[in-house]
């Protein structure tokens, strides 16, 4: 025994002795990592991923999330999925809730227990939870926050409107100060197994199955030769499996009492020694993967997953001893059975191949393909034949049940990619494909599989099958977890006649499934930490879904929507015609250009034809629309052309800034209306102050209050009369009515009904401008002539000769 093992044994012995018969106190922890996610706003159909790394020795993960979501969980069924804010958790890869077929009712705090698969919950205002190593496994965890899910989430939209929410999160990962302590309070000692290569012949005697071809057999045991425990008091052990193993067994020997019991009617053989085993986290009586009574039969686990296994042994039925001081002592061992290099399966008769990664050069990261090492395949192609890799032995001697295994590795940070599996042949394919993360798959233990059209993994949202037939298999494993993946090919062909053509297989790591079905663009982004890239499809106007394969708008519907959005801009002819008739050439050019620019923009937006780049067309559409609305208000004010040009120039600069920064925001409509009304008001003030200055302020200031009131009253009456004579009010009221309908249609626009209400907006806003232009009356104000005539008469009188 080395000096380190001696010190470790002394420490464990001290912990064990100090805990016997004494109340267990809370252990100390330290913070491994602490991550603060700032306030982030999620617009409709937005998402955010947060990656959390949990080391094998972690104690707990604390999550504190605050948001402005005001959602009643009891009425969650009334909220459409496309606007529902949710939070999802997944072990190993980013969550993907778009294909959820479950009802979201529980809150995250109450339903978070037992996260072995992806789970989603309605977003709440405050979510605070603490997940211990008894609940979740170490590794990489992803938290996803979504503002609406479903096929329309990836659909490209002309506008994005709907409820948005913001959130902030703090995530802390703690670990026990003593790495050999675990549990909710770091108060449960864990005794790690140390493994050594043992003599095969002697070790095989302890197993129940003969393995004559085994090359590597590891014997693992605790540093304590004997462990003792009272009734119901568990001892926890840990075992690390770092390579693919065929099986590992857990056995108990030298089972005896620490003292001679007073009641001799029962012996150690009557005591139950329950063993609970769990991968990744501590097992309990209620949560475990495998269990057995070691006093009766050893526990054998076939094809164990790579990683850390926890073994809990609990004595039971000690109450029969009628002595509270009696404890059961035992020795526990584990045997890890490994096959020679390149072999696996029962009796190590199956072939296993490690696949080498070949990185593809391209703009997207982590795209690669895999080829068997040393199989003589061409590195220039991602395809390799299967027949040279087939095993010659069948599973347990069963004819037509031959397995061949392939191992590949998904690198760190590539969990947002997808494993693409393809098989093709000129004849019917006689293979079944099984996949499993962290170990070798089988008929019982698998994560995903494809046997035929009717037998496949059709219940998982991460399994996507495409155009598969008798001579072709094509499927994706979405957002594959980081680490080792095992693929098993089960060969079922028992005919003597050889196949006419070879079967070719391809394994690759791709970003977007099926290249977004040729209905969108593949994009990628990073999670909050920047350590993991994830890919996603940005679909066109007519398709959605995670691979753009869901047709949301039919071809007939697309034609109808395009027709309405483009042709409705012909309503600009109305104000343009009236402006040309009134010889208002500037307004005529503006309305004509606005209608043409809007039509070209929407033709490009619906995917029909783009005369210029999309950004240029969008800028021109919004800028000219803003100018057209404001020019309508300025046209109603009769002011000098010099002042009107100055106001037009200032408004053009301001609206250009609005159109180039954030043109599509809804507040721009209100801002444009305010600017137009303000321009009209300024025009009125300038005009009134010029024409009626002599009426409101006489040269000789009068201190007579009644005379001042009379002057003010006469000024107001002249102002009202001038306004009544200046406009045709039936046309003005019609213009206000059309403008009101335009504002209502703007507020009713949604992603689904945009084509209808925005077309109605085109018609009503141009119609309102037409009515407003018609409402301006061309009159000659008699008041403008009176002062001139009066001055002329006075001058004529003064010019007469005077006799003195």
């Amino acid at each position: 025994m080395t000096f380190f093992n001696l010190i470790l044994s002394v420490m464990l012995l001290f912990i064990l002795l100090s805990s016997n018969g004494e109340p267990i106190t809370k252990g100390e922890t330290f913070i491994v990592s602490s991550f603060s996610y700032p306030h982030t706003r999620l617009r409709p159909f937005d998402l955010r991923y947060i990656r959390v790394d949990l080391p094998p020795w972690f104690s707990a993960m604390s999550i504190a999330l605050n948001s402005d979501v005001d959602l009643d969980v009891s009425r969650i069924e009334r909220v459409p999925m496309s606007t529902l804010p949710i939070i999802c958790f997944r072990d190993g890869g980013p969550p993907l809730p778009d294909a959820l077929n479950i009802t979201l009712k529980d809150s995250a705090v109450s339903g978070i227990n037992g996260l072995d698969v992806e789970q989603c919950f309605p977003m709440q205002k405050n979510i605070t939870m603490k997940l211990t190593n008894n609940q979740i496994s170490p590794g990489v965890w992803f938290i996803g926050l979504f503002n609406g899910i479903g096929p329309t989430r990836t659909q490209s939209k002309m506008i994005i409107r709907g409820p948005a929410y913001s959130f902030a999160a703090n995530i802390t990962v703690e670990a026990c100060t003593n790495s050999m302590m675990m549990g909710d309070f770091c108060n449960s000692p864990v005794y790690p197994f140390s493994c050594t290569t043992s003599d095969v012949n002697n070790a095989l005697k302890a197993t129940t199955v003969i393995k004559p071809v085994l090359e590597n057999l590891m014997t693992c045991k605790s540093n304590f030769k004997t462990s003792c425990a009272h009734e119901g008091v568990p001892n926890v052990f840990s075992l690390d499996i770092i390579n693919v193993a065929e099986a590992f067994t857990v056995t108990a020997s030298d089972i005896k009492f620490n003292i001679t019991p007073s009641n001799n009617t029962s012996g150690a053989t009557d005591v139950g020694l329950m063993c609970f085993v769990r991968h990744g986290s501590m097992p309990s009586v209620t949560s475990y993967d495998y269990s057995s009574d070691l006093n009766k039969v050893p526990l054998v686990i076939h094809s164990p997953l790579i990683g850390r296994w926890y073994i809990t042994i609990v004595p039971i039925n000690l109450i029969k001893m009628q002595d509270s001081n009696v404890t059961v002592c035992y020795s526990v061992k584990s045997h890890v059975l490994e096959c020679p290099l390149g072999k696996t399966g029962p009796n190590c008769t199956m072939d296993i191949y490690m696949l080498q990664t070949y990185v593809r050069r391209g703009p997207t990261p982590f795209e690669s393909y895999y080829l068997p090492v040393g199989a003589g395949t061409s590195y220039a192609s991602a395809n390799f034949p299967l027949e040279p890799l087939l095993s010659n032995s069948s599973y347990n001697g069963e004819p037509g049940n031959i397995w061949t295994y392939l191992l590949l590795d998904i690198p760190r940070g590539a969990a947002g990619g997808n494993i693409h599996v393809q098989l093709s042949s000129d004849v019917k394919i006689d293979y079944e494909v099984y996949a499993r993360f962290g170990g070798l798959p089988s008929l019982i233990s698998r994560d995903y599989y494809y046997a035929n059209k009717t037998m496949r993994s059709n219940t998982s949202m991460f399994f996507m099958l495409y155009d598969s037939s008798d001579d072709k298999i094509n499927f994706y494993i979405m957002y594959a977890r980081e680490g080792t993946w095992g693929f098993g090919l089960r060969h079922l062909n028992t005919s003597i006649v050889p196949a006419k053509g070879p079967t070719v297989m391809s394994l690759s790591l791709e970003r977007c499934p099926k290249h977004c079905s040729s209905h969108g663009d593949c994009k990628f982004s990073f999670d909050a930490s920047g350590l993991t890239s994830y890919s996603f499809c940005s679909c066109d106007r007519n398709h959605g879904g995670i691979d753009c394969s869901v047709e949301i708008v039919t071809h007939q519907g697309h034609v109808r929507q395009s027709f309405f959005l483009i042709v409705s801009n012909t309503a600009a002819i109305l104000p343009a015609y009236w402006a040309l008739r009134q010889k208002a050439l500037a307004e005529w050019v503006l309305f004509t250009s606005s209608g043409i620019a809007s039509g070209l923009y929407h033709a490009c937006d619906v995917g029909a034809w783009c005369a210029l780049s999309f950004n240029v067309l969008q800028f021109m559409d919004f800028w000219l629309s803003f100018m057209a609305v404001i020019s309508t208000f300025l046209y109603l004010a009769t002011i000098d052309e010099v002042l009107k040009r100055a106001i037009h120039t200032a408004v053009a600069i301001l609206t250009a800034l609005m159109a180039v920064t954030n043109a599509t925001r809804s507040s721009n409509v209100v801002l444009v209306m305010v600017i137009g009304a303000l321009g009209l008001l300024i025009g009125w003030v300038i005009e009134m102050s010029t024409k009626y200055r002599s009426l409101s302020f006489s040269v000789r200031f009068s201190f007579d209050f009644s005379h001042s009131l009379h002057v003010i009253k006469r000024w107001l009456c002249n102002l009202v009369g001038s306004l009544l004579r200046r406009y045709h009010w039936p046309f003005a009221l019609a213009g206000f009515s059309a403008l009101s309908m335009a504002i209502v249609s703007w507020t009713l626009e949604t992603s689904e009904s945009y084509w209808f209400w925005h077309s109605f907006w085109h018609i009503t806003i141009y119609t309102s401008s037409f009515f407003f232009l018609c409402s301006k009356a061309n009159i000659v104000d008699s008041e403008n002539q009176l002062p001139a005539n009066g001055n002329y008469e006075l001058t004529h009188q003064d010019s007469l000769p005077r006799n003195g």
Side-chain angles (χ1 to χ4, degrees):
M1 180 179 292
T2 63
F3 177 75
F4 175 77
N5 290 334
L6 179 61
I7 297 298
L8 184 62
S9 301
V10 172
M11 293 176 61
L12 289 175
L13 180 61
F14 175 76
I15 294 172
L16 181 62
L17 293 177
S18 61
S19 62
N20 286 338
E22 302 215 358
I24 298 176
T25 58
K26 182 177 180 179
E28 296 183 357
T29 62
F30 70 97
I31 296 177
V32 177
S33 63
S34 182
F35 182 82
S36 179
Y37 199 84
H39 276 280
T40 303
R41 186 173 180 82
L42 284 185
R43 299 176 63 200
F45 303 104
D46 276 356
L47 65 92
R48 292 292 184 276
Y49 286 129
I50 300 176
R51 173 189 175 121
V52 184
D53 289 280
L54 302 179
W57 58 88
F58 93 101
S59 170
M61 176 178 64
S62 300
I63 301 174
L65 193 145
N66 301 317
S67 69
D68 57 359
V69 174
D70 187 11
L71 189 65
D72 188 359
V73 180
S74 62
R75 300 181 179 180
I76 200 68
E77 295 180 351
R78 302 181 182 180
V79 182
M81 298 296 287
S82 59
T83 60
L84 179 64
I86 65 173
I87 180 172
C88 299
F89 301 84
R90 187 187 175 208
D91 179 14
L96 196 62
D98 296 281
L100 280 178
N101 54 3
I102 60 175
T103 303
L104 301 174
K105 291 184 178 180
D106 298 329
S107 64
V109 178
S110 62
I112 204 67
N113 295 325
L115 277 181
D116 53 350
V117 294
E118 175 180 359
Q119 293 190 19
C120 297
F121 308 94
M123 190 67 182
Q124 295 176 270
K125 196 175 189 63
N126 296 301
I127 297 178
T128 303
M129 65 183 70
K130 186 173 184 179
L131 305 175
T132 66
N133 52 20
N134 289 339
Q135 296 173 282
I136 60 176
S137 304
V140 180
W141 282 83
F142 285 88
I143 303 173
L145 298 105
F146 301 82
N147 189 4
I149 60 175
T152 58
R153 182 176 66 85
T154 57
Q155 179 194 17
S156 179
K157 304 167 183 65
M158 298 179 184
I159 60 164
I160 299 178
R161 292 179 186 169
Y165 74 92
S166 60
F167 72 93
N170 288 282
I171 302 174
T172 302
V173 179
E174 300 176 83
C176 300
T177 305
N178 187 344
S179 60
M180 292 176 292
M181 302 293 290
M182 292 190 69
D184 294 346
F185 304 103
C186 291
N187 53 9
S188 300
V190 178
Y191 310 116
F193 279 166
S194 58
C195 300
T196 58
T197 303
S198 60
D199 182 71
V200 176
N201 294 327
N202 293 334
L204 288 176
K205 297 178 181 179
T207 62
T208 57
V209 182
I210 299 178
K211 310 287 183 183
V213 198
L214 292 177
E215 181 180 85
N216 301 322
L217 192 145
M218 307 293 292
T219 298
C220 307
K221 58 183 178 180
S222 172
N223 291 321
F224 289 105
K225 184 177 181 180
T226 303
S227 301
C228 300
H230 287 88
E231 167 83 23
V233 178
N235 283 329
V236 184
F237 306 90
S238 64
L239 172 65
D240 291 327
I241 297 181
I242 59 177
N243 295 318
V244 174
E246 183 198 344
F248 82 83
T249 61
V250 181
T251 60
S253 59
D254 300 330
I255 303 174
K256 58 185 178 180
F257 300 118
N258 62 333
I259 61 175
T260 303
S262 57
N263 184 7
N264 295 326
T265 58
S266 300
T269 56
D270 298 327
V271 176
L273 204 61
M274 292 301 301
C275 176
F276 303 97
V277 180
R278 190 178 182 186
H279 179 262
S281 56
M282 294 183 62
S284 63
V285 179
T286 57
S287 300
Y288 58 87
D289 296 334
Y290 305 93
S291 66
S292 176
D293 187 352
L294 297 183
N295 204 1
K296 296 180 180 179
V297 61
L299 178 61
V300 181
I301 300 176
H302 296 283
S303 299
L305 295 175
I306 297 175
R308 178 163 295 181
W309 288 82
Y310 290 93
I311 304 167
T312 298
I313 299 178
V314 184
I316 59 175
N317 296 331
L318 284 183
I319 195 171
K320 297 179 180 179
M321 301 291 94
Q322 298 180 358
D323 193 339
S324 60
N325 294 325
V326 174
T327 60
V328 173
C329 298
Y330 52 89
S331 297
V332 60
K333 292 182 181 180
S334 178
H335 301 285
V336 181
L337 311 178
E338 296 181 353
C339 292
L341 184 63
K343 292 294 182 179
T344 189
N347 298 329
C348 295
T349 56
M350 304 298 176
D351 291 333
I352 183 171
Y353 296 88
M354 187 66 195
L355 301 183
Q356 187 173 358
T357 305
Y358 293 87
V359 179
R360 285 176 175 167
R361 294 182 179 180
T364 55
F366 295 114
E367 281 209 336
S368 56
Y369 59 92
Y370 299 87
L371 296 176
V373 177
T377 55
S378 175
Y379 301 150
S381 175
N383 301 324
F384 57 91
L386 285 181
E387 279 71 18
L389 307 179
L390 291 181
S391 302
N392 294 324
S393 301
S394 61
Y395 186 84
N396 288 336
E398 299 176 5
N401 196 9
I402 302 174
W403 286 77
T404 301
Y405 294 96
L406 307 173
L407 291 179
L408 61 84
D409 182 72
I410 302 297
R412 177 180 171 86
N418 314 299
I419 298 178
H420 188 193
V421 181
Q422 296 184 90
L423 281 82
S424 60
S425 178
D426 296 334
V427 295
K428 182 180 180 181
I429 296 178
D430 294 313
Y431 296 96
E432 296 178 354
V433 184
Y434 296 81
R436 188 186 185 196
F437 175 76
L440 298 181
S442 64
L443 294 176
I444 301 175
S445 301
R446 78 260 174 140
D447 293 330
Y448 311 99
Y449 79 102
Y450 177 86
N452 50 52
K453 294 181 180 180
T454 59
M455 297 178 60
R456 62 180 186 268
S457 299
N458 55 1
T459 58
S460 175
M461 69 188 74
F462 297 99
F463 181 86
M464 300 194 66
L465 182 67
Y466 291 102
D467 54 26
S468 295
S469 59
D470 292 338
D471 58 353
K472 185 177 181 180
I473 298 176
N474 184 10
F475 66 86
Y476 284 84
I477 298 176
M478 302 294 297
Y479 286 175
R481 302 171 61 179
E482 301 173 5
T484 302
W485 280 84
F487 286 86
L489 299 173
R490 186 184 181 211
H491 188 201
L492 303 177
N493 187 8
T494 59
S495 65
I496 303 177
V497 180
K500 296 181 180 180
T503 301
V504 178
M505 185 175 187
S506 172
L507 280 169
S508 57
L509 183 65
E510 300 178 1
R511 305 309 299 175
C512 291
K514 209 178 180 181
H515 303 288
C516 299
S517 305
S518 300
H519 295 302
D521 298 324
C522 184
K523 301 181 181 298
F524 70 95
S525 184
F526 292 88
D527 72 306
S529 64
L531 299 177
T532 301
S533 68
Y534 63 93
S535 59
F536 59 93
C537 286
S538 178
C539 308
D540 57 24
R541 295 284 188 263
N542 305 327
H543 296 83
I546 58 178
D547 58 349
C548 300
S549 63
V550 180
E551 186 181 40
I552 298 177
V553 181
T554 62
H555 177 71
Q556 293 79 4
H558 176 70
V559 172
R560 181 177 62 254
Q561 295 180 11
S562 303
F563 176 81
F564 272 87
L565 286 171
I566 297 173
V567 176
S568 60
N569 289 282
T570 56
I573 296 176
L574 295 175
Y577 163 75
W578 187 260
L580 183 62
R581 181 177 179 180
Q582 300 300 319
K583 298 182 179 180
L585 299 182
E587 284 76 7
W588 170 70
V589 172
L590 192 57
F591 283 111
T592 303
S593 302
S594 175
I596 295 175
S598 182
L600 292 176
Y601 163 66
H602 285 289
C604 181
D605 197 26
V606 299
W609 176 64
C610 293
L612 298 171
S613 66
F614 178 80
N615 292 332
V616 172
L617 292 175
Q618 186 183 60
F619 169 77
M620 292 298 296
D621 174 41
F622 281 88
W623 179 52
L624 292 175
S625 298
F626 295 160
M627 285 295 298
V629 173
I630 297 176
S631 296
T632 301
F633 285 94
L634 295 179
Y635 178 81
L636 299 178
T638 305
I639 56 177
D640 188 77
E641 287 296 325
V642 175
L643 294 175
K644 184 177 290 187
R645 286 197 301 269
I647 296 176
H648 265 288
T649 304
V651 168
I653 296 173
L654 182 60
T655 53
L657 292 175
M658 293 169 54
V660 77
T661 53
N662 194 354
T664 58
R665 59 185 176 185
S666 301
S667 58
N668 280 343
V669 176
V670 179
L671 187 58
V672 167
M673 296 296 178
V674 171
I675 294 175
L678 185 62
L680 178 60
L681 180 62
I682 293 174
W684 281 348
V685 170
I686 295 174
E687 181 182 356
M688 294 300 117
S689 63
T690 302
K691 292 185 178 182
Y692 300 108
R693 181 173 54 230
S694 60
L695 296 178
S696 55
F697 299 100
S698 61
V699 176
R700 186 179 299 173
F701 186 77
S702 177
F703 291 96
D704 189 356
F705 182 71
S706 60
H707 177 70
S708 300
L709 289 178
H710 178 72
V711 172
I712 295 173
K713 181 179 179 181
R714 185 177 60 176
W715 183 85
L716 291 176
C717 290
N718 290 332
L719 177 61
V720 173
S722 178
L723 292 177
L724 291 176
R725 292 190 302 270
R726 189 175 299 276
Y727 300 105
H728 300 298
W729 287 100
F731 285 104
L733 293 177
F736 281 113
S737 299
L739 181 61
S740 301
M741 289 188 291
I743 296 175
V744 171
S745 65
W746 181 275
T747 58
L748 292 177
E749 288 180 5
T750 62
S751 301
E752 295 78 12
S753 62
Y754 172 81
W755 65 275
F756 175 79
W757 289 115
H758 196 72
S759 301
F760 191 70
W761 155 268
H762 288 158
I763 297 173
T764 52
I765 197 65
Y766 285 126
T767 303
S768 66
S769 296
F770 170 72
F771 283 132
F772 281 131
L773 295 180
C774 295
S775 67
K776 185 178 180 180
N778 295 325
I779 61 173
V780 178
D781 195 348
S782 60
E783 295 177 1
N784 293 337
Q785 306 297 329
L786 291 176
N789 295 336
N791 293 335
Y792 175 80
E793 291 296 336
L794 291 175
T795 303
H796 179 71
Q797 292 176 3
D798 292 340
S799 64
L800 294 176
R802 293 183 177 91
N803 295 325

